[in-house]
Amino acid sequence: MIARTLVLLAGLSMSALALAQPSLNLSDYTLGYRFNLPGQIGMVGEASAITYNWDTGTLFVVGDEAEAIVEVTKTGEVVGSMKLNFGSSFDAESLTYIGNGQFALGEERTQSVYQVTYEAGTSLSLSSLTPAYSFGSYSDNEGLEGLSWDPRNNTLIAVKEKNPQAVYEADINFNDGTGSHSILFNASLLGVLDLSDVQVLGTVPSFLGTGLDDNLLIISQESRLLLEVTRTGEVLSSIDLRRLSGTAEGVTIDELGNIYIVDEQPRVFVFLRPTPAVPEPETYALLLAGLGLVGLAARRRRVA
C-alpha cells in the first residue's frame, strides 16, 4: 500500500512539473555590481534604454535626448559610440538588438520604430533611415516605451507606457516599414502604474526549449518593479527596485541569463543569475527507475 502511494504521489509530482510554467524566480537573483555610464554631452545623457548585442558580447545604451547610441562592456568601459543627429524633438525611449549589427530604435511620441545600423565613430541622420513602422497615433509622453526582438520568429515585443498600457507583438518588414501588430495580452493584469521596457527571454541560448524562452521581463518605473511574466499576462516572479532606484526604466539580459537594468542617472545595475539547481534529466531518469523498482518489489511481495 505504501509503495503504491509513493508511486502515485511521484506521478502526480511529475505531472505538476510538466504543467507548471518554468520561471526564472527573480527573487533568487542577486545584485552583483553597478556602474555609471558616461553622462556628458554627446553620450548617453538621461539613459532610457539598454540592449545586449549577443554577437559582440557588449551592451548598447541610448538616452531619451537621442544624442548617441553608446557601446559599453558588461562592466561599463566605453567601447565606442555613434552620434544621432535626430533633432531635439526625437524622444528615444526604446532600443533592441535584432542581429547582424542592426538595432530597432523607438520614438515614444510618434510610436515609430526605425532600423539602425550601428557604426562606431560615425553620425546618423533621421533622413537616412528606412521608413518607420508606427504602433499608433501621436501620444504625448505616454507612448512607445520598450522594444525587444525575439530571434526565434523574428518578431518584436513592444510596450506602451500608459493611457492605455499595452503589450504588443509585431511582425515588421524594416525594408519598407510595413507590418502588423496585435495585443499580446491585457496589460492591466500586471497591476503596475506604467510599462517602461520589455525583454524576451528567447535570446538566452540555455533557455531555448525549456519554456523559459516564452517568458518576458517587464519593468515598471513608477511601480519600481521588475516582473517576469508569461505571454498571457501571468506574473511569475519579481524584483522590488524601490531601494535601488526611482528612475529605472530599461532592462536587458545576456547569454548567461544575467540581467542589466539602466536608470536615468545614468547607471546600470547588474543582477546575477543563481547557479541552476534544477535536477538534470539523468536525475529524473534515476528517480523514475527507482520508483519502478519500488513498484516491482511491492508486486512481488503481493505474489509471495
Side-chain angles (χ1 to χ4, degrees):
M1 180 63 183
I2 295 177
R4 183 182 302 173
T5 302
L6 287 173
V7 172
L8 178 60
L9 289 175
L12 291 173
S13 297
M14 294 301 292
S15 297
L17 284 171
L19 292 173
Q21 175 63 31
S23 170
L24 283 180
N25 296 318
L26 290 176
S27 60
D28 293 337
Y29 273 67
T30 57
L31 178 60
Y33 58 97
R34 68 187 75 189
F35 58 83
N36 295 327
L37 291 167
Q40 65 265 34
I41 302 239
M43 295 297 276
V44 179
E46 189 178 302
S48 57
I50 186 169
T51 190
Y52 181 70
N53 181 331
W54 55 81
D55 290 323
T56 60
T58 53
L59 300 164
F60 287 76
V61 186
V62 69
D64 60 9
E65 300 298 328
E67 294 177 338
I69 295 175
V70 179
E71 179 183 7
V72 300
T73 67
K74 293 181 181 181
T75 54
E77 291 80 17
V78 175
V79 177
S81 66
M82 181 174 70
K83 187 177 180 181
L84 302 178
N85 295 319
F86 288 178
S88 59
S89 63
F90 193 97
D91 189 3
E93 287 287 346
S94 48
L95 181 72
T96 186
Y97 184 61
I98 63 177
N100 299 317
Q102 296 182 318
F103 297 80
L105 176 67
E107 204 280 340
E108 180 179 13
R109 290 175 171 82
T110 62
Q111 302 196 76
S112 301
V113 182
Y114 301 84
Q115 180 176 279
V116 173
T117 300
Y118 176 82
E119 295 182 15
T122 65
S123 297
L124 187 67
S125 63
L126 192 60
S127 61
S128 67
L129 299 181
T130 55
Y133 177 82
S134 178
F135 278 90
S137 58
Y138 184 88
S139 180
D140 190 12
N141 208 31
E142 297 177 338
L144 186 65
E145 276 284 323
L147 293 169
S148 188
W149 181 252
D150 192 336
R152 301 175 306 166
N153 55 11
N154 295 331
T155 58
L156 269 179
I157 303 297
V159 293
K160 181 181 180 295
E161 182 178 8
K162 58 172 61 173
N163 294 326
Q165 296 177 9
V167 181
Y168 302 115
E169 183 173 29
D171 185 3
I172 299 173
N173 183 342
F174 284 107
N175 292 323
D176 58 11
T178 61
S180 62
H181 66 274
S182 59
I183 296 290
L184 188 61
F185 60 80
N186 182 355
S188 66
L189 295 172
L190 303 179
V192 292
L193 297 175
D194 71 340
L195 305 180
S196 300
D197 200 5
V198 61
Q199 172 64 50
V200 306
L201 298 188
T203 59
V204 182
S206 64
F207 293 172
L208 297 176
T210 66
L212 286 173
D213 52 337
D214 280 330
N215 296 347
L216 308 171
L217 297 177
I218 292 181
I219 191 168
S220 170
Q221 177 182 345
E222 293 183 20
S223 294
R224 302 185 186 180
L225 282 172
L226 176 67
L227 305 177
E228 177 195 10
V229 307
T230 68
R231 297 198 179 209
T232 58
E234 177 188 0
V235 177
L236 298 174
S237 64
S238 64
I239 294 177
D240 188 338
L241 302 174
R242 285 178 296 179
R243 294 184 179 181
L244 193 68
S245 173
T247 62
E249 62 171 312
V251 62
T252 193
I253 194 166
D254 67 18
E255 79 283 357
L256 299 177
N258 298 318
I259 296 170
Y260 302 80
I261 292 176
V262 70
D263 73 0
E264 295 178 354
Q265 293 303 312
R267 300 172 294 181
V268 174
F269 303 90
V270 185
F271 286 86
L272 303 178
R273 183 188 177 199
T275 302
V278 178
E280 297 295 327
E282 292 82 359
T283 305
Y284 283 118
L286 289 172
L287 173 62
L288 292 174
L291 291 172
L293 289 174
V294 170
L296 178 60
R299 286 195 296 273
R300 284 178 176 173
R301 284 196 298 269
R302 288 197 300 271
V303 171

